[in-house]
Amino acid sequence: MAGPPIGLPDLAALPQADEEDVVLCAIRTCSRLFGALLERRELFVGQLPEEETSLADNYSAEDKYKIWMRHRYNSCVNCLVELMGHESFQVKELSLTTLMKFVELEGKYPLVKAEWKGSFSFPRELLKVSVVENLIPCEEDASLLISRFQEYLEYDDIRYFVMKAVAENIGQVMQKTKEVPLPIYQQNVFSLISSISMPSKENEVVSFMVKQANQEEWKVSKLKEHKRAFERMWLGFLKHKLPTGLYKKVLVILHDSILPYLNEPTLMIDFLTVAYDIGGAISLLALNGLFVLIQQHNLEYPDFYKKLYSLLDPSIYHVKYRARFFHLADLFLSSSHLPAYLVAAFIKRLSRLALTAPPQALLMVIPFICNLFRRHPACKVLVHRPGGPEDLSEDPYIMDEEEPSESRALESSLWELQTLQRHYHPDVAQAAAVVNQSLSELEDDISGLLELSAYELFDRELKKKATGVPLEFEQVRGLFGKKDDLFAEHFALE
Amino acid sequence: MGKPTKQRRKGQVAARAKGPSGAGMAMVKNNPFEVKVNKQKFNILGRRTKHDVGLPGVSRSKAVKKRTQTLLKEYKEREKSSVFKDKRFGEYNTKISPEEKMMKRFALERQQNHEKKSIYNLNEDEELTHYGQSLADIEKLNDVIDSDSDTEERGILSAELTAAHFGGGGGLLRRKALTGEQDEEEEKPKSRKELIEELIAKSKQEKRERQTQRENALELTEKLDTDWKEIQTLLSHKTPKSERKDKEEEKPKPDEYDMIVRELGFEMKAQPSDRMKTEEELAKEEQERLQKLEADRLRRMHGKDEQENKKKPKHMSADDLADGFILDKDDRRLLSYKGGKLNVGNEEEEGGNEEEEGESEEESEGEPGREDEEEAIVEEDDATDSPSDLESDMGSEEEVTANEEQKKKHKENEQKLQSEEEQNAKIEAARSELPYTFTVPESYEKLKSLLFGRKIEEQLVILERIQKCNHPSLAVGNKAKLEKLFGFLLEYIGELATVEPPELGTIDKLVLPLYGLCQMFPEAASSSVKFVLQDAAHDMEEMIEVKGRATFPGLDMFIYLKITAIVFPTSDFWHPVVTPALVYMSQLLTKCQVMTLQDVVKGLFVCCLFLEYVSLSQRFIPELINFLVGILHIAIPQKQPQGYTLVHPFRPAGKNSELLLVCDKKDMETWQKQNLPLSIMTRLKESSKTEINHFRLSCLAVCLDLIKKCAALYESLSSFHEIMQPIRVLLTEHIPVSEYPKQLQELHKNALKEIEDKGKHYTSMVCEKKKPVPLKLYMPKIVKVLEFGRKQGGSKEEQERKRLIHKHKREFKGAVREIRKDNQFLARMQLSEIMERDSDRKRKVKNLFNSLATQEGEWKAMKRKKFKN
């Protein structure tokens, strides 16, 4: 048996040194040394006695060595935890991987005595205290480290215990700060928990970092347990007030990476209705989650369409989530049981707002409106009212009315589309001119138009083949030299 | 009745007499009884008919003739084995014409005879020669005139001349001939010998005279040649006519009168006028001119022939009036525009000014003359440092600009004088003399090195010369080179816009060559502008992806957009360049953050661009209205948007939401509306708070004016009021008008009035009536006829096959008919033979019977006699 390496205490304390290279080397040495010791089971197992008392007590020399070694190991772990707050990312990263290596090895060669045969051992405390708490600090952005940590979240056991640890941690931190907003902490938590990808089937729970003897009975291998932990974690996180940016981010992923993995998705109703009532982009985003709940979980939402109607404001054509919103709006308005006044109000409002929309949105919304006409032929009076009033002094439609039934949309006509026939973009003008004729039976497919971006539109125009390039015939006299040039009035060539 | 038959008979007789000659054929053709008309059932347009009229008689006789020549011969020789062979020379050779044949045969015959007789023929005339010439020829004493011996012509010329002496006119020769005849008649009484001698003497004398005359003419032409060469070396030195005349008169003439007459004759001739020159020729001439000038310049640069120049007489223009007036100082001024108005010279030469204006029409026509004058000055000067040199360069400079002005003839009535400062600048600019020819720069760097740092005028001249020297019609590769030039120039303009401070004056002028190039190569121009746009849009997209938001591009991009509006028509529904530019501008207004005052100016510039783009087409631009709403929003103090909504990039509250807010009362009062300088886009000058406030107010003024323009533009739109609603709310409720200076209040009032004046008229929409769907009809299949008379349809092979089958069928039919006719002919021949034979036999039998009968008769008679007796 080899004697204790000389200078070990120094080594364990070394990571506190200043120089980065030295620190990195020290961490690597520690990792290798204690890894070997763990594998050789040369660390004391069980309840660790105090260092002083152990020396005095009647332990055998080997035990004394093991106890001492275990103490060194503990101080090394503490050191590494401290280093997780180091300013250099490399140090942080190495500490993280070292700690995770210790977690793995401790799981394999437990340092705690098995209480009974067949019990499961997992270094829960080590994972929670040393890793998770340091991954979600309150002060600094740890997204890089979290992305490095992601590879460990592939292991089902690690993921399970991380989820539990995060849930506990949120509770503790929030209680401590008494609802004082902690944007950075919440951001960190979000980046950690949003990167968790849950298994969707029972038989997918197979990869474990720490192999146990009777794997199947361990509750970590149960999907339901996973879901419960996941649910608790998210509910714990969403219980607290979120900053707007984070709110949006949560809502963006809510419908496809959170809701399906909850045991009780209906628990999200409160959160979603609150979000839906906030207004603006958040409401648009909450719509998606609400839709899932309405569709799959029998959610009854009073005045849903009224709410949807009130969501329509000029910004819907400009926000990033335009495609998502119109996709859902298309779904909501596809029902043929909707009353004509409602659809007419939607059509009128959408086209009124289209007067401020950019071309890419117009190219999408005009076929959208045409589709609504096709689904609800009763609304066609909006574009075709033979024998209607000739000389109205005011548009009968009331834009400010929140109740669609009161908006008198059915009495109006779609003058907005008539206006858009004079739009500067040729495609828009052509699309708007469709309403002049009677519409074809088949609906337009707008799925390809939903995601149309301004740049794509530009590119499409550039790639069009032209047979000839017409030229300006007016003789040029200078930069601002045209006949009654607008620029000469307002700008000076200086 | 009798007449026609008579005629007919006559015709027949004639035809028989003349045989198948042309006249006979014509007779036959005119004869209605000979002609068979093939009646056509339908007249088919475009079909050429060959066989509408047939001459059965003629063709039948032809056929019979042919058969008798071939078939009948064969038939007659059918049982003969011996063949007659004609061994005469070339009997069966069809290539040799009969005359030739006869000649050859004759020659052969002679040869044969000669060979046989040569032994006895002593008087054989072998040709004797002297120096390779036959003595016989020499003995004839024919005077061989060495060079271009056009004795005949000369004879005619002299005859002509003599005739001219006696007032000859039209038929000179005839007259001459007549007189000659008369002479001969008169001298008839003389003896033949005398006559001949006289003739010889006469001819000799004539010859001598001719020789001397010719010598004189030669001498003259030589002299003319040398003179001309002298002139040629002087390049544009043209000896004035008067001088030339003098010289000619000084020459001692053999016959002055002759000369004058000849001259008169020359003058009487109408010279063909010069044809119109093609563009290529003009370009070539221009290039040659520039090259010549370049050579000249080089020569002067090396100072080679300064001494020579000194000796030479003063150059005079062809149009010189020789009145001693020399325009030694060019006091014409160039046009210039400043701020959309003509730049009026404010110097003391007002009188000249008026004159210039009056003459502006003639100026363009008088241009070439002036150019010459200027050239004259160029030639005149020699000392490189003398002031005259300076002027001459200025002259050449002006010449080019003058050309440019000619292009803008329609604007000529606006021409005015240039200010003195600019003229001085011009002289300065001209000091660094430019070469006359340029190659097209291969790369942008080369163009830049060529242009950068020079004066505006020089840059223009360089660009013009590049274009002229490399006109596409001059060489094959020039087109591609010049096409590239557009791109380089565009890039160069972009660079000028990015330097500090931006050289906007240069850009303003460079637009002209750019426009010209664009007119020449629209395709290339469009692709380079598109490339620039694509680049810019791509940059913006990248910035949005990386940073999440975009910023306004630099001044160069705005200049590009403006240039697009200048060189391309913006009112097209779809245009390969303008439409992408519009989309890009829309992106500028919706994506780019407005964070500084510069951004506001840039945004307003784009708004102006938008309005200009659609000024003719009156199209609706939502982005424009949104942006103007945003601009108004950042100019109001209270930050709760009520009655209107802001869209990206403007935010209701936060940083930059009071960018145009002016609180200082004093600044408000001192403000005067001024045009926004474009240079502000690249750099906002460090200025005082007051200036910045003034600047804000100017921005606001532009915005209000744009609103007014928008309102005027969109008044016909059916949703005009809905579109203008947010602006109206802002103008009426939020803008603190009362605090604004008077001028701004005025603008505000105008804008609001423009919006509110429009009446509200809504008429229910009605769809266009659907066209009734027509019943399905069985339409005839219409095949495009590509060529008349051809069978259509099928592939090429199929058509060929059909054609061959058709041809085969026709040939087959024809062959069968021929064979049938041959057989008929033969049968006829056989029959006639048989008939002949039969008749012959009958005749013979008859003869026999006759003789027998007579014999019998005689015998009987004798018997009777005997019996009687």
Side-chain angles (χ1 to χ4, degrees):
Chain A
M1 169 140 190
I6 298 158
L8 190 66
D10 291 345
L11 192 72
L14 239 182
Q16 284 149 353
D18 292 334
E19 286 170 59
E20 202 179 307
D21 292 346
V22 180
V23 174
L24 287 174
C25 285
I27 295 173
R28 265 182 225 118
T29 317
C30 284
S31 154
R32 219 167 300 146
L33 176 72
F34 289 110
L37 288 174
L38 274 168
E39 271 174 38
R40 275 149 60 180
R41 297 173 186 277
E42 279 183 25
L43 294 179
F44 185 78
V45 177
Q47 190 64 43
L48 188 68
E50 288 294 311
E51 201 170 355
E52 284 76 26
T53 52
S54 71
L55 288 174
D57 279 352
N58 49 354
Y59 287 102
S60 67
E62 199 183 332
D63 277 346
K64 279 184 182 167
Y65 162 70
K66 280 188 177 176
I67 290 169
W68 180 78
M69 220 38 164
R70 176 80 188 278
H71 276 292
R72 296 290 77 73
Y73 171 70
N74 282 354
S75 59
C76 174
V77 167
N78 287 337
C79 249
L80 286 173
V81 168
E82 265 177 55
L83 283 176
M84 289 279 280
H86 198 271
E87 60 263 26
S88 159
F89 177 67
Q90 271 180 307
V91 175
K92 277 195 223 172
E93 191 191 357
L94 196 61
S95 319
L96 178 71
T97 49
T98 310
L99 279 171
M100 286 313 289
K101 187 183 168 192
F102 288 165
V103 167
E104 187 187 352
L105 286 171
E106 268 195 52
K108 234 179 247 175
Y109 314 103
L111 291 178
V112 196
K113 277 202 186 105
E115 285 162 28
W116 65 87
K117 203 177 177 314
S119 69
F120 306 99
S121 62
F122 190 85
R124 226 168 293 175
E125 281 302 306
L126 180 65
L127 186 69
K128 183 186 169 227
V129 175
S130 57
V131 182
V132 173
E133 287 184 3
N134 283 299
L135 273 179
I136 42 177
C138 294
E139 292 84 23
E140 55 176 330
D141 185 21
S143 52
L144 268 176
L145 212 55
I146 288 168
S147 64
R148 180 74 181 77
F149 187 67
Q150 218 156 13
E151 66 179 80
Y152 297 105
L153 288 174
E154 299 289 306
Y155 299 106
D156 290 303
D157 46 355
I158 300 277
R159 188 196 314 124
Y160 178 73
F161 288 112
V162 166
M163 288 194 293
K164 290 198 112 173
V166 170
E168 275 174 50
N169 186 269
I170 292 171
Q172 283 169 9
V173 172
M174 284 303 174
Q175 211 164 24
K176 226 184 280 171
T177 56
K178 300 276 181 215
E179 291 298 316
V180 176
L182 291 166
I184 297 172
Y185 173 73
Q186 281 174 323
Q187 180 63 46
N188 284 333
V189 171
F190 177 75
S191 43
L192 181 63
I193 64 179
S194 65
S195 58
I196 291 172
S197 66
M198 287 285 286
S200 51
K201 283 180 202 141
E202 191 80 48
N203 54 9
E204 277 175 26
V205 189
V206 281
S207 66
F208 294 97
M209 196 178 209
V210 183
K211 295 276 185 290
Q212 303 289 344
N214 41 356
Q215 197 72 260
E216 286 75 37
E217 286 170 34
W218 198 23
K219 66 173 179 180
V220 175
S221 57
K222 302 276 191 301
L223 182 66
K224 207 175 174 192
E225 291 298 323
H226 275 268
K227 281 193 171 179
R228 183 176 292 156
F230 186 74
E231 189 179 284
R232 277 191 58 203
M233 176 185 75
W234 270 111
L235 286 177
F237 177 65
L238 297 179
K239 207 158 61 182
H240 307 284
K241 196 174 184 305
L242 296 173
T244 319
L246 208 55
Y247 222 130
K248 283 185 192 166
K249 280 184 188 164
V250 170
L251 288 168
V252 166
I253 62 164
L254 187 74
H255 71 286
D256 60 14
S257 52
I258 300 176
L259 279 180
Y261 306 112
L262 298 182
N263 276 338
E264 292 266 336
T266 40
L267 291 175
M268 282 287 180
I269 288 176
D270 282 342
F271 172 73
L272 282 173
T273 43
V274 168
Y276 194 45
D277 286 335
I278 286 176
I282 292 177
S283 297
L284 293 184
L285 289 168
L287 204 57
N288 214 335
L290 268 184
F291 174 66
V292 173
L293 291 183
I294 291 169
Q295 196 192 22
Q296 295 166 6
H297 303 282
N298 277 334
L299 174 68
E300 181 83 14
Y301 195 93
D303 292 335
F304 177 79
Y305 283 101
K306 186 186 161 193
K307 190 79 193 131
L308 185 66
Y309 182 70
S310 68
L311 277 184
L312 301 178
D313 72 350
S315 63
I316 55 163
Y317 290 119
H318 295 265
V319 288
K320 264 188 281 182
Y321 320 107
R322 188 187 72 213
R324 183 199 282 254
F325 174 76
F326 277 96
H327 170 71
L328 289 172
D330 198 31
L331 279 177
F332 295 142
L333 294 172
S334 61
S335 163
S336 54
H337 296 294
L338 296 175
Y341 75 85
L342 183 75
V343 180
F346 268 99
I347 289 173
K348 189 69 190 166
R349 196 171 178 92
L350 280 174
S351 47
R352 176 65 64 84
L353 296 176
L355 289 178
T356 62
Q360 65 271 19
L362 286 172
L363 282 177
M364 182 268 301
V365 79
I366 293 171
F368 185 91
I369 289 171
C370 290
N371 279 353
L372 288 182
F373 278 127
R374 289 183 184 113
R375 285 174 204 156
H376 307 278
C379 297
K380 279 189 179 164
V381 285
L382 283 182
V383 287
H384 184 59
R385 195 196 303 276
E390 278 295 302
D391 203 16
L392 292 168
S393 64
E394 198 75 48
D395 191 344
Y397 172 72
I398 305 161
M399 182 75 173
D400 300 328
E401 181 60 54
E402 282 193 6
E403 187 63 51
S405 55
E406 307 282 312
S407 66
R408 297 172 65 200
L410 272 174
E411 295 165 38
S412 175
S413 276
L414 271 192
W415 292 291
E416 289 84 2
L417 282 193
Q418 210 171 37
T419 303
L420 287 177
Q421 288 168 14
R422 294 263 300 274
H423 194 268
Y424 69 91
H425 197 284
D427 294 352
V428 173
Q430 266 167 0
V434 167
V435 294
N436 282 350
Q437 274 91 41
S438 52
L439 290 166
S440 60
E441 290 297 312
L442 275 179
E443 286 193 12
D444 297 323
D445 180 25
I446 60 162
S447 58
L449 298 167
L450 285 173
E451 302 275 1
L452 187 69
S453 76
Y455 183 67
E456 279 168 2
L457 192 68
F458 175 80
D459 219 36
R460 216 167 60 178
E461 286 303 325
L462 266 193
K463 287 197 176 113
K464 270 187 196 167
K465 285 273 167 287
T467 45
V469 185
L471 292 174
E472 177 65 53
F473 58 85
E474 193 185 326
Q475 189 73 35
V476 62
R477 274 183 289 160
L479 202 56
F480 292 169
K482 271 195 171 180
K483 226 186 290 165
D484 23 273
D485 201 305
L486 196 58
F487 290 90
E489 271 180 53
H490 299 303
F491 293 96
L493 277 175
E494 284 163 18
Chain B
M1 272 301 275
K3 237 183 179 178
T5 48
K6 220 177 181 178
Q7 270 182 349
R8 190 189 156 202
R9 204 173 296 148
K10 227 185 200 170
Q12 269 182 341
V13 167
R16 221 170 284 149
K18 282 184 184 173
S21 65
M25 283 298 282
M27 281 293 209
V28 168
K29 264 187 189 168
N30 287 335
N31 186 350
F33 293 95
E34 290 279 5
V35 172
K36 182 180 185 295
V37 176
N38 293 319
K39 207 181 133 199
Q40 230 175 345
K41 275 189 177 168
F42 311 105
N43 254 331
I44 296 169
L45 220 112
R47 171 183 281 183
R48 243 179 280 133
T49 49
K50 281 185 217 164
H51 307 290
D52 51 350
V53 174
L55 299 168
V58 173
S59 57
R60 193 175 300 135
S61 76
K62 241 191 233 168
V64 167
K65 209 169 151 194
K66 205 177 169 191
R67 286 208 172 82
T68 47
Q69 273 170 0
T70 54
L71 195 63
L72 192 64
K73 241 182 205 170
E74 229 172 88
Y75 175 72
K76 277 178 179 164
E77 289 165 1
R78 64 189 185 280
E79 275 148 11
K80 286 177 183 146
S81 52
S82 58
V83 185
F84 175 77
K85 246 186 191 170
D86 196 343
K87 279 187 137 183
R88 284 175 300 173
F89 177 83
E91 181 58 31
Y92 299 109
N93 197 346
T94 49
K95 278 172 194 169
I96 306 169
S97 67
E99 287 83 37
E100 241 177 294
K101 227 186 268 180
M102 298 310 290
M103 289 286 285
K104 276 272 164 79
R105 280 177 190 170
F106 180 70
L108 277 171
E109 201 181 346
R110 282 292 296 271
Q111 211 172 358
Q112 269 176 344
N113 291 341
H114 180 254
E115 267 164 20
K116 273 177 193 168
K117 286 176 186 172
S118 64
I119 320 164
Y120 310 104
N121 191 359
L122 299 170
N123 196 18
E124 196 188 28
D125 46 351
E126 212 176 301
E127 222 175 26
L128 299 171
T129 56
H130 177 70
Y131 286 120
Q133 279 181 313
S134 101
L135 284 175
D137 276 358
I138 292 169
E139 273 170 350
K140 280 173 198 164
L141 283 171
N142 263 350
D143 183 28
V144 184
I145 292 153
D146 41 5
S147 68
D148 44 59
S149 56
D150 42 0
T151 46
E152 286 307 302
E153 268 179 48
R154 257 188 287 125
I156 289 163
L157 191 71
S158 62
E160 204 179 345
L161 274 175
T162 45
H165 282 281
F166 301 106
L172 293 170
L173 272 172
R174 214 188 312 144
R175 211 155 158 194
K176 165 95 204 282
L178 276 171
T179 49
E181 270 168 24
Q182 276 171 357
D183 284 349
E184 262 175 80
E185 274 166 12
E186 278 171 11
E187 282 159 22
K188 263 257 158 83
K190 280 179 187 172
S191 75
R192 195 168 170 76
K193 208 175 180 182
E194 268 179 343
L195 205 91
I196 288 167
E197 266 172 7
E198 211 173 325
L199 254 172
I200 289 168
K202 212 176 180 182
S203 77
K204 270 185 185 169
Q205 196 191 346
E206 224 168 23
K207 209 194 287 168
R208 217 175 297 130
E209 265 176 21
R210 261 185 263 147
Q211 220 157 359
T212 49
Q213 208 172 354
R214 204 169 121 258
E215 266 167 20
N216 281 339
L218 260 174
E219 204 177 0
L220 266 174
T221 48
E222 245 168 66
K223 200 197 155 331
L224 207 70
D225 275 357
T226 50
D227 275 2
W228 173 239
K229 260 175 205 157
E230 220 173 56
I231 291 156
Q232 243 181 349
T233 51
L234 293 180
L235 292 168
S236 46
H237 274 229
K238 278 184 206 158
T239 5
K241 251 177 197 161
S242 56
E243 218 169 287
R244 224 181 298 160
K245 239 182 235 167
D246 288 345
K247 269 183 207 165
E248 276 163 29
E249 272 166 4
E250 278 164 27
K251 279 273 145 212
K253 288 277 149 69
D255 194 349
E256 226 171 285
Y257 182 68
D258 268 6
M259 291 309 293
I260 290 165
V261 168
R262 205 184 269 187
E263 247 168 43
L264 283 171
F266 275 131
E267 263 171 32
M268 265 152 67
K269 270 180 198 162
Q271 293 285 335
S273 64
D274 285 351
R275 71 188 168 83
M276 289 287 279
K277 276 166 185 157
T278 60
E279 201 178 356
E280 284 99 312
E281 278 174 322
L282 279 176
K284 201 169 184 175
E285 265 176 24
E286 188 61 32
Q287 193 207 17
E288 272 168 8
R289 195 180 71 86
L290 288 176
Q291 267 174 354
K292 228 196 288 177
L293 285 170
E294 161 75 346
D296 221 358
R297 192 196 66 85
L298 275 176
R299 199 160 47 88
R300 267 182 300 144
M301 192 169 80
H302 297 306
K304 265 180 187 165
D305 49 1
E306 279 175 13
Q307 274 81 34
E308 287 169 29
N309 256 0
K310 262 181 192 165
K311 279 176 216 159
K312 270 169 193 161
K314 262 190 186 175
H315 167 80
M316 288 180 104
S317 152
D319 297 343
D320 199 350
L321 296 173
D323 54 0
F325 176 77
I326 290 173
L327 192 75
D328 52 3
K329 193 181 175 230
D330 196 300
D331 48 8
R332 282 176 305 147
R333 253 147 286 266
L334 292 174
L335 318 173
S336 68
Y337 295 89
K338 206 170 190 180
K341 277 188 201 162
L342 282 161
N343 198 359
V344 187
N346 51 350
E347 65 280 85
E348 63 289 340
E349 301 159 15
E350 285 303 321
N353 191 350
E354 281 165 27
E355 221 176 275
E356 284 285 328
E357 269 181 27
E359 283 173 5
S360 58
E361 288 294 325
E362 296 129 359
E363 206 173 88
S364 61
E365 288 158 56
E367 215 58 71
R370 295 226 180 189
E371 273 176 46
D372 280 359
E373 278 161 20
E374 281 149 19
E375 271 173 46
I377 302 164
V378 175
E379 287 299 320
E380 184 187 47
D381 67 73
D382 34 28
T384 41
D385 279 344
S386 74
S388 65
D389 185 36
L390 227 163
E391 277 170 12
S392 77
D393 288 332
M394 195 186 79
S396 63
E397 198 80 83
E398 298 233 308
E399 177 191 315
V400 177
T401 32
N403 278 347
E404 238 173 64
E405 280 162 33
Q406 265 178 305
K407 285 183 204 156
K408 307 190 289 182
K409 239 182 234 171
H410 62 287
K411 298 275 189 279
E412 231 158 31
N413 49 354
E414 295 173 37
Q415 285 187 3
K416 289 212 177 149
L417 298 179
Q418 199 195 18
S419 71
E420 190 123 61
E421 292 90 0
E422 276 192 37
Q423 202 189 8
N424 287 340
K426 246 178 162 6
I427 295 167
E428 279 272 313
R431 192 163 279 161
S432 51
E433 197 174 305
L434 293 170
Y436 287 103
T437 54
F438 289 92
T439 51
V440 183
E442 303 276 321
S443 66
Y444 167 62
E445 281 72 30
K446 283 190 182 159
L447 179 80
K448 198 184 153 193
S449 63
L450 207 59
L451 298 181
F452 200 70
R454 290 188 190 263
K455 296 273 177 301
I456 300 172
E457 291 81 11
E458 287 181 346
Q459 294 188 12
L460 286 177
V461 170
I462 289 173
L463 284 172
E464 203 201 15
R465 285 181 184 169
I466 287 177
Q467 278 183 58
K468 275 187 182 163
C469 291
N470 300 283
H471 195 270
S473 54
L474 295 175
V476 182
N478 279 353
K479 188 167 180 260
K481 282 186 201 164
L482 280 182
E483 277 178 350
K484 273 192 222 157
L485 182 65
F486 184 90
F488 298 150
L489 200 57
L490 211 61
E491 209 178 331
Y492 179 63
I493 286 179
E495 179 144 346
L496 286 181
T498 46
V499 295
E500 182 60 43
E503 294 188 25
L504 292 162
T506 317
I507 294 173
D508 190 31
K509 291 279 175 286
L510 282 179
V511 167
L512 305 173
L514 205 62
Y515 177 83
L517 276 173
C518 184
Q519 295 289 325
M520 279 163 91
F521 313 108
E523 301 287 335
S526 85
S527 63
S528 32
V529 176
K530 267 156 89 172
F531 183 74
V532 167
L533 285 173
Q534 193 175 18
D535 240 25
H538 188 75
D539 282 353
M540 189 156 81
E541 186 64 17
E542 228 173 48
M543 204 193 288
I544 291 172
E545 263 172 35
V546 175
K547 285 192 198 163
R549 59 195 167 84
T551 50
F552 277 100
L555 175 61
D556 50 341
M557 204 51 225
F558 296 103
I559 299 286
Y560 285 144
L561 287 171
K562 177 73 183 130
I563 285 173
T564 308
I566 288 173
V567 296
F568 296 112
T570 52
S571 55
D572 289 14
F573 183 68
W574 182 81
H575 189 281
V577 183
V578 175
T579 308
L582 278 167
V583 177
Y584 175 68
M585 276 156 36
S586 140
Q587 289 191 54
L588 284 181
L589 287 192
T590 51
K591 297 256 169 83
C592 295
Q593 299 282 330
V594 180
M595 291 181 294
T596 58
L597 276 178
Q598 283 168 308
D599 291 339
V600 173
V601 177
K602 285 173 180 177
L604 286 172
F605 191 88
V606 177
C607 289
C608 277
L609 275 172
F610 255 135
L611 272 182
E612 191 192 346
Y613 272 58
V614 299
S615 58
L616 290 172
S617 53
Q618 299 199 321
R619 295 192 202 289
F620 172 50
I621 306 161
E623 292 89 335
L624 174 62
I625 305 291
N626 290 346
F627 195 85
L628 292 177
V629 168
I631 292 288
L632 286 182
H633 174 77
I634 57 174
I636 58 171
Q638 176 221 346
K639 283 301 156 191
Q640 285 308 314
Q642 283 174 335
Y644 62 97
T645 26
L646 290 169
V647 293
H648 199 76
F650 295 99
R651 301 239 171 95
K655 234 180 9 160
N656 305 322
S657 61
E658 294 191 345
L659 208 56
L660 285 184
L661 182 65
V662 183
C663 299
D664 200 330
K665 281 250 159 105
K666 235 174 88 187
D667 291 343
M668 293 253 198
E669 281 158 19
T670 52
W671 176 73
Q672 278 293 320
K673 180 169 173 4
Q674 64 200 18
N675 286 356
L676 302 170
L678 286 184
S679 56
I680 221 159
M681 287 194 199
T682 49
R683 191 174 56 100
L684 194 58
K685 278 173 227 140
E686 294 294 322
S687 42
S688 65
K689 217 170 163 211
T690 313
E691 273 177 56
I692 287 184
N693 274 341
H694 283 173
F695 186 67
R696 283 174 173 152
L697 288 172
S698 294
C699 285
L700 202 56
V702 172
C703 178
L704 287 172
D705 190 58
L706 287 179
I707 287 171
K708 197 182 118 198
K709 293 253 160 62
C710 278
L713 198 65
Y714 293 148
E715 84 185 284
S716 61
L717 293 181
S718 46
S719 320
F720 174 76
H721 289 279
E722 282 76 26
I723 292 166
M724 288 297 170
Q725 171 69 16
I727 288 180
R728 187 171 54 224
V729 167
L730 270 166
L731 287 183
T732 49
E733 292 170 22
H734 299 285
I735 290 273
V737 201
S738 48
E739 294 167 25
Y740 283 154
K742 267 251 165 62
Q743 215 174 344
L744 214 55
Q745 279 184 11
E746 188 73 18
L747 274 169
H748 173 265
K749 208 175 84 191
N750 287 344
L752 201 60
K753 195 165 153 248
E754 191 80 34
I755 293 175
E756 291 187 334
D757 268 2
K758 307 290 177 294
K760 291 184 174 181
H761 292 292
Y762 295 93
T763 313
S764 310
M765 279 167 75
V766 176
C767 280
E768 284 168 18
K769 261 193 193 134
K770 221 188 207 172
K771 270 186 201 160
V773 182
L775 290 172
K776 266 188 187 164
L777 295 173
Y778 292 104
M779 295 289 281
K781 191 187 171 195
I782 293 167
V783 182
K784 207 175 169 192
V785 177
L786 300 165
E787 208 175 324
F788 285 104
R790 277 271 173 87
K791 292 222 164 59
Q792 305 292 332
S795 65
K796 215 168 185 184
E797 288 84 41
E798 183 67 19
Q799 275 183 0
E800 180 71 11
R801 205 177 138 266
K802 271 183 183 169
R803 200 177 61 80
L804 284 175
I805 287 173
H806 179 71
K807 203 171 178 183
H808 169 258
K809 207 171 158 188
R810 236 175 31 202
E811 291 292 311
F812 186 78
K813 268 181 171 173
V816 165
R817 199 167 54 218
E818 283 296 298
I819 289 170
R820 201 182 292 140
K821 280 187 175 167
D822 280 358
N823 286 340
Q824 280 171 359
F825 177 76
L826 279 180
R828 221 168 26 240
M829 281 296 135
Q830 279 170 349
L831 184 69
S832 67
E833 241 171 55
I834 290 168
M835 296 270 272
E836 210 176 318
R837 250 196 340 252
D838 283 1
S839 63
D840 213 27
R841 192 166 162 272
K842 262 182 191 164
R843 191 172 41 81
K844 279 178 180 168
V845 169
K846 220 177 180 177
N847 277 350
L848 275 177
F849 272 115
N850 272 346
S851 65
L852 280 177
T854 45
Q855 212 177 342
E856 185 74 16
E858 278 170 9
W859 180 71
K860 272 186 179 166
M862 258 204 337
K863 207 178 166 183
R864 215 179 292 139
K865 227 180 215 178
K866 222 188 253 175
F867 192 72
K868 260 182 189 176
N869 297 334

